[in-house]
Amino acid sequence: MTGFSASDAALEGFRISRERPRVLLGWTLFTLFASVVGAVITITMPKEARAALDALANEQAPDLEALLEMLTAVSPILIVGLLVQRMMDAAVYRVILHGGEGGRFAYLRLGADELRLAALRLIFLVLAVLLIAVAQFCIAILAVVASPLGQGPMLLVAFVAEVFSWGVILMIAVRMSLASVITFETGKLSILESWELTRGQFWPLLSSYALAGCCILATGIAVMVLFVSIAGVALIATGGSMADLSAIMAPKEISLQTYLNPYVVAYTLIGCVFTAIYSAVIAAPGAFVYLALKGRQTP
């Protein structure tokens, strides 16, 4: 059976980021543009919707009318976010699957490929919600069945069933993880083809995704520590304090003045570079594995 190197798959996103600095710069600028669009939408959001959004962030339950208004107001952000991420995914797929073909605009497009990827993500979101709901319903039934044995056995049965159900969900998620790459490569929605292609490859796939996640997490922590250190020194040198950093990274008031703060601008730019690398690292393993399982070499 054709196999692949889990470590090579995990590090593929870092490789293309290092070897294609112009492409990475294009992705960073695109991410910055998307951030600006999101900021404009947020600033122009109605006050009531913004208050409901703040309430959700603070784990408070807004009333139904405010919640509906908030969802309506933030829907443009959700749509923009979905399309931006799928455009980034497709760009990474083009680099890995097609090599130097179609390299204009850092491989970024907004066309049928990206819309199919967005539709696939929404389909999987609905399926995931249904799967989790069914799993929780089955766990509740098992707990009720075990309840005559006492509270201890009932809790044990519920715990074991919960762990088992999440294990099954993880297995399904990993086995279906190549659906986006297959959809992009074939030009049609492919929901079940990934299941057959990844037969016998669960552990290598899980290892590559876990390693990629750990690497990008370590990178994010290093970038954050570096930014906090430099920004903290700059703030102290200009009469501020380390406590001011919290207002930079999590501003209490959303306004144009907030976004134009030089520290916020620097934080945003660094965040855009990291987001571009993150998108490459997260999307690349699937494309790398797809080529390997198909017996093809990366261009």
Side-chain angles (χ1 to χ4, degrees):
M1 179 179 292
T2 304
F4 61 92
S5 169
S7 59
D8 288 346
L11 299 177
E12 181 68 4
F14 289 105
R15 183 188 69 80
I16 63 176
S17 298
R18 183 187 70 253
E19 295 181 355
R20 299 175 181 264
R22 291 186 178 180
V23 173
L24 180 61
L25 176 60
W27 293 347
T28 301
L29 294 176
F30 174 67
T31 303
L32 177 61
F33 173 75
S35 298
V36 171
V37 172
V40 171
I41 295 174
T42 302
I43 292 174
T44 57
M45 187 183 300
K47 293 182 179 180
E48 295 79 4
R50 197 180 303 170
L53 189 60
D54 292 337
L56 285 181
N58 296 325
E59 298 183 355
Q60 301 174 7
D63 59 73
L64 181 59
E65 182 178 354
L67 180 61
L68 292 176
E69 185 173 356
M70 181 211 65
L71 292 175
T72 302
V74 301
S75 58
I77 296 180
L78 298 178
I79 294 173
V80 169
L82 177 64
L83 292 177
V84 165
Q85 193 56 60
R86 301 294 74 78
M87 290 174 68
M88 289 294 297
D89 289 346
V92 174
Y93 297 158
R94 287 189 181 96
V95 172
I96 297 176
L97 299 178
H98 303 157
E101 300 176 7
R104 293 182 303 168
F105 309 111
Y107 298 88
L108 292 165
R109 309 282 187 277
L110 180 56
D113 290 331
E114 290 72 18
L115 294 178
R116 273 191 294 268
L117 291 177
L120 182 70
R121 183 55 58 94
L122 293 176
I123 291 172
F124 275 161
L125 177 62
V126 173
L127 293 177
V129 170
L130 292 176
L131 180 60
I132 293 173
V134 170
Q136 294 303 310
F137 178 73
C138 293
I139 292 171
I141 292 178
L142 289 174
V144 171
V145 171
S147 60
L149 300 177
Q151 184 177 14
M154 181 189 70
L155 293 176
L156 178 61
V157 168
F159 174 76
V160 172
E162 188 78 36
V163 172
F164 177 79
S165 66
W166 282 108
V168 172
I169 291 172
L170 174 63
M171 183 270 294
I172 294 174
V174 171
R175 291 287 304 276
M176 301 296 290
S177 61
L178 300 188
S180 293
V181 184
I182 298 173
T183 293
F184 175 82
E185 184 71 353
T186 60
K188 60 181 181 180
L189 283 174
S190 302
I191 298 177
L192 300 178
E193 286 80 354
S194 175
W195 186 266
E196 181 61 29
L197 185 62
T198 58
R199 185 181 301 276
Q201 302 292 340
F202 171 78
W203 290 111
L205 274 170
L206 182 61
S207 299
S208 65
Y209 296 149
L211 181 57
C214 290
C215 289
I216 197 62
L217 177 61
T219 302
I221 293 174
V223 170
M224 182 61 68
V225 169
L226 183 62
F227 172 79
V228 169
S229 301
I230 296 176
V233 171
L235 281 170
I236 294 175
T238 55
S241 66
M242 293 296 292
D244 296 330
L245 280 176
S246 60
I248 294 173
M249 294 182 286
K252 296 181 179 179
E253 182 180 353
I254 300 176
S255 64
L256 181 60
Q257 184 178 2
T258 300
Y259 286 110
L260 293 180
N261 182 299
Y263 292 100
V264 174
V265 172
Y267 182 68
T268 301
L269 291 176
I270 294 174
C272 289
V273 176
F274 175 75
T275 300
I277 298 174
Y278 169 87
S279 298
V281 172
I282 296 302
F288 182 93
V289 171
Y290 175 79
L291 285 180
L293 296 181
K294 285 293 187 177
R296 294 164 50 187
Q297 298 291 326
T298 54

